[in-house]
Amino acid sequence: HGLHIAVEETMKEKCSRYEKHLQEASLTLKSNLIKTRDRLNLVRNEAATAKENNDNLIVAKETMKEKCSRYEKHLEESSLTLESYSKDRKVLEKELTAIQAKIKDIDNKVARIRVPFEKTQSKKQELDANLARIAESKTC
């Protein structure tokens, strides 16, 4: 009977130690579970933030593509306008050269006419002076 009580006490102690170990293990598991859950929530939040940042980057990229497309279009239009102005300028420069040549031609013609005209004027003055003398001599 005494042996039975001793075995029972030993079994109770072992059970008590096992219960204590189980409680400690249970608390450790709960603590680890809470830490794991907290880490998982943190990772989820980081993933959500990363997705939001990625979405924002995609929107920014599309916006930049649109802006680049508009700038390229403006640049192309400006280039065409500049090309048109350049052609117009060349045409105007040719016209100006032609007009300058005509002016020079007219100046040359005027110069050729001026010499005989001046000679004619000089002779007219002489004739007028002669006529005035003749008229004067007739009235005397």
Short mmCIF file of all heavy atoms in Angstrom, two decimals, residues 101-124:
data_model
loop_
_atom_site.label_atom_id
_atom_site.label_comp_id
_atom_site.label_asym_id
_atom_site.label_seq_id
_atom_site.Cartn_x
_atom_site.Cartn_y
_atom_site.Cartn_z
N ALA A 101 17.58 93.87 -107.81
CA ALA A 101 18.14 93.91 -109.18
C ALA A 101 17.34 94.88 -110.05
O ALA A 101 17.92 95.64 -110.83
CB ALA A 101 18.14 92.50 -109.78
N LYS A 102 16.01 94.86 -109.91
CA LYS A 102 15.17 95.78 -110.69
C LYS A 102 15.46 97.23 -110.31
O LYS A 102 15.53 98.11 -111.17
CB LYS A 102 13.69 95.47 -110.47
CG LYS A 102 13.23 94.20 -111.18
CD LYS A 102 11.76 93.93 -110.92
CE LYS A 102 11.33 92.61 -111.56
NZ LYS A 102 9.95 92.28 -111.24
N ILE A 103 15.62 97.48 -108.98
CA ILE A 103 15.93 98.84 -108.52
C ILE A 103 17.25 99.30 -109.12
O ILE A 103 17.37 100.44 -109.60
CB ILE A 103 15.96 98.91 -106.97
CG1 ILE A 103 14.55 98.74 -106.41
CG2 ILE A 103 16.60 100.20 -106.49
CD1 ILE A 103 14.50 98.61 -104.90
N LYS A 104 18.25 98.42 -109.10
CA LYS A 104 19.56 98.77 -109.66
C LYS A 104 19.44 99.06 -111.15
O LYS A 104 20.03 100.03 -111.66
CB LYS A 104 20.54 97.60 -109.43
CG LYS A 104 21.96 97.93 -109.74
CD LYS A 104 22.87 96.80 -109.33
CE LYS A 104 24.32 97.16 -109.60
NZ LYS A 104 25.24 96.09 -109.26
N ASP A 105 18.63 98.25 -111.85
CA ASP A 105 18.40 98.45 -113.28
C ASP A 105 17.75 99.81 -113.53
O ASP A 105 18.16 100.56 -114.42
CB ASP A 105 17.53 97.31 -113.82
CG ASP A 105 17.40 97.35 -115.33
OD1 ASP A 105 18.43 97.57 -116.01
OD2 ASP A 105 16.26 97.17 -115.82
N ILE A 106 16.74 100.11 -112.71
CA ILE A 106 16.05 101.41 -112.85
C ILE A 106 17.01 102.55 -112.56
O ILE A 106 17.04 103.57 -113.28
CB ILE A 106 14.81 101.47 -111.92
CG1 ILE A 106 13.74 100.51 -112.44
CG2 ILE A 106 14.27 102.89 -111.81
CD1 ILE A 106 12.59 100.30 -111.47
N ASP A 107 17.84 102.41 -111.50
CA ASP A 107 18.83 103.44 -111.17
C ASP A 107 19.79 103.67 -112.35
O ASP A 107 20.12 104.82 -112.68
CB ASP A 107 19.64 103.05 -109.92
CG ASP A 107 18.85 103.23 -108.64
OD1 ASP A 107 17.80 103.92 -108.66
OD2 ASP A 107 19.28 102.68 -107.60
N ASN A 108 20.21 102.57 -112.99
CA ASN A 108 21.10 102.69 -114.16
C ASN A 108 20.40 103.42 -115.30
O ASN A 108 20.99 104.28 -115.97
CB ASN A 108 21.56 101.30 -114.64
CG ASN A 108 22.56 100.67 -113.67
OD1 ASN A 108 23.19 101.37 -112.89
ND2 ASN A 108 22.67 99.36 -113.72
N LYS A 109 19.13 103.10 -115.56
CA LYS A 109 18.38 103.77 -116.63
C LYS A 109 18.22 105.26 -116.33
O LYS A 109 18.38 106.10 -117.21
CB LYS A 109 17.00 103.13 -116.81
CG LYS A 109 17.06 101.77 -117.48
CD LYS A 109 15.68 101.16 -117.61
CE LYS A 109 15.76 99.77 -118.23
NZ LYS A 109 14.46 99.11 -118.26
N VAL A 110 17.92 105.55 -115.04
CA VAL A 110 17.78 106.96 -114.63
C VAL A 110 19.10 107.69 -114.86
O VAL A 110 19.13 108.81 -115.38
CB VAL A 110 17.31 107.06 -113.16
CG1 VAL A 110 17.48 108.48 -112.63
CG2 VAL A 110 15.87 106.62 -113.02
N ALA A 111 20.21 107.05 -114.50
CA ALA A 111 21.53 107.67 -114.68
C ALA A 111 21.80 107.92 -116.16
O ALA A 111 22.35 108.96 -116.53
CB ALA A 111 22.61 106.79 -114.07
N ARG A 112 21.43 106.95 -117.02
CA ARG A 112 21.65 107.12 -118.47
C ARG A 112 20.78 108.24 -119.04
O ARG A 112 21.18 108.95 -119.94
CB ARG A 112 21.35 105.80 -119.20
CG ARG A 112 22.47 104.77 -119.05
CD ARG A 112 22.32 103.64 -120.06
NE ARG A 112 21.07 102.93 -119.97
CZ ARG A 112 20.84 101.84 -119.24
NH1 ARG A 112 21.82 101.33 -118.52
NH2 ARG A 112 19.66 101.28 -119.23
N ILE A 113 19.59 108.39 -118.49
CA ILE A 113 18.68 109.45 -118.99
C ILE A 113 19.12 110.81 -118.46
O ILE A 113 19.02 111.82 -119.15
CB ILE A 113 17.22 109.15 -118.56
CG1 ILE A 113 16.71 107.91 -119.29
CG2 ILE A 113 16.32 110.34 -118.80
CD1 ILE A 113 15.37 107.40 -118.78
N ARG A 114 19.66 110.87 -117.23
CA ARG A 114 20.01 112.13 -116.60
C ARG A 114 21.07 112.90 -117.39
O ARG A 114 20.97 114.12 -117.54
CB ARG A 114 20.51 111.87 -115.17
CG ARG A 114 20.80 113.16 -114.42
CD ARG A 114 21.17 112.93 -112.97
NE ARG A 114 20.01 112.48 -112.23
CZ ARG A 114 19.99 111.44 -111.41
NH1 ARG A 114 21.08 110.74 -111.23
NH2 ARG A 114 18.90 111.10 -110.78
N VAL A 115 22.08 112.21 -117.90
CA VAL A 115 23.16 112.90 -118.62
C VAL A 115 22.61 113.65 -119.84
O VAL A 115 22.82 114.86 -119.96
CB VAL A 115 24.28 111.90 -119.01
CG1 VAL A 115 25.32 112.58 -119.90
CG2 VAL A 115 24.93 111.33 -117.75
N PRO A 116 21.84 112.98 -120.75
CA PRO A 116 21.30 113.73 -121.89
C PRO A 116 20.33 114.81 -121.44
O PRO A 116 20.28 115.89 -122.04
CB PRO A 116 20.58 112.67 -122.72
CG PRO A 116 21.11 111.35 -122.28
CD PRO A 116 21.60 111.56 -120.89
N PHE A 117 19.57 114.54 -120.38
CA PHE A 117 18.61 115.53 -119.90
C PHE A 117 19.33 116.77 -119.41
O PHE A 117 18.92 117.90 -119.71
CB PHE A 117 17.75 114.91 -118.78
CG PHE A 117 16.80 115.89 -118.15
CD1 PHE A 117 15.65 116.28 -118.82
CD2 PHE A 117 17.06 116.44 -116.89
CE1 PHE A 117 14.78 117.18 -118.23
CE2 PHE A 117 16.20 117.35 -116.32
CZ PHE A 117 15.05 117.71 -116.98
N GLU A 118 20.42 116.57 -118.67
CA GLU A 118 21.18 117.71 -118.17
C GLU A 118 21.78 118.51 -119.33
O GLU A 118 21.80 119.74 -119.30
CB GLU A 118 22.27 117.24 -117.20
CG GLU A 118 21.70 116.79 -115.86
CD GLU A 118 22.72 116.15 -114.97
OE1 GLU A 118 23.88 115.96 -115.37
OE2 GLU A 118 22.36 115.81 -113.82
N LYS A 119 22.25 117.78 -120.37
CA LYS A 119 22.79 118.48 -121.55
C LYS A 119 21.68 119.28 -122.22
O LYS A 119 21.87 120.42 -122.63
CB LYS A 119 23.38 117.48 -122.54
CG LYS A 119 24.71 116.91 -122.11
CD LYS A 119 25.25 115.96 -123.15
CE LYS A 119 26.56 115.34 -122.71
NZ LYS A 119 27.05 114.34 -123.65
N THR A 120 20.49 118.65 -122.33
CA THR A 120 19.35 119.33 -122.94
C THR A 120 18.97 120.56 -122.12
O THR A 120 18.68 121.62 -122.69
CB THR A 120 18.14 118.36 -123.04
OG1 THR A 120 18.54 117.18 -123.73
CG2 THR A 120 16.98 118.99 -123.75
N GLN A 121 18.98 120.45 -120.82
CA GLN A 121 18.67 121.58 -119.94
C GLN A 121 19.66 122.72 -120.17
O GLN A 121 19.28 123.88 -120.25
CB GLN A 121 18.74 121.16 -118.45
CG GLN A 121 17.51 120.47 -117.91
CD GLN A 121 16.27 121.34 -117.99
OE1 GLN A 121 15.45 121.17 -118.88
NE2 GLN A 121 16.14 122.30 -117.09
N SER A 122 20.92 122.34 -120.26
CA SER A 122 21.97 123.34 -120.47
C SER A 122 21.74 124.07 -121.79
O SER A 122 21.83 125.30 -121.86
CB SER A 122 23.32 122.64 -120.44
OG SER A 122 24.35 123.54 -120.78
N LYS A 123 21.44 123.30 -122.86
CA LYS A 123 21.18 123.92 -124.17
C LYS A 123 19.94 124.78 -124.12
O LYS A 123 19.90 125.86 -124.73
CB LYS A 123 21.03 122.84 -125.25
CG LYS A 123 22.37 122.23 -125.63
CD LYS A 123 22.23 121.27 -126.77
CE LYS A 123 23.59 120.68 -127.10
NZ LYS A 123 23.56 119.74 -128.19
N LYS A 124 18.91 124.34 -123.40
CA LYS A 124 17.67 125.11 -123.29
C LYS A 124 17.96 126.44 -122.61
O LYS A 124 17.47 127.49 -123.04
CB LYS A 124 16.64 124.32 -122.49
CG LYS A 124 15.30 125.04 -122.36
CD LYS A 124 14.34 124.23 -121.52
CE LYS A 124 13.03 124.92 -121.32
NZ LYS A 124 13.00 125.98 -120.38
#
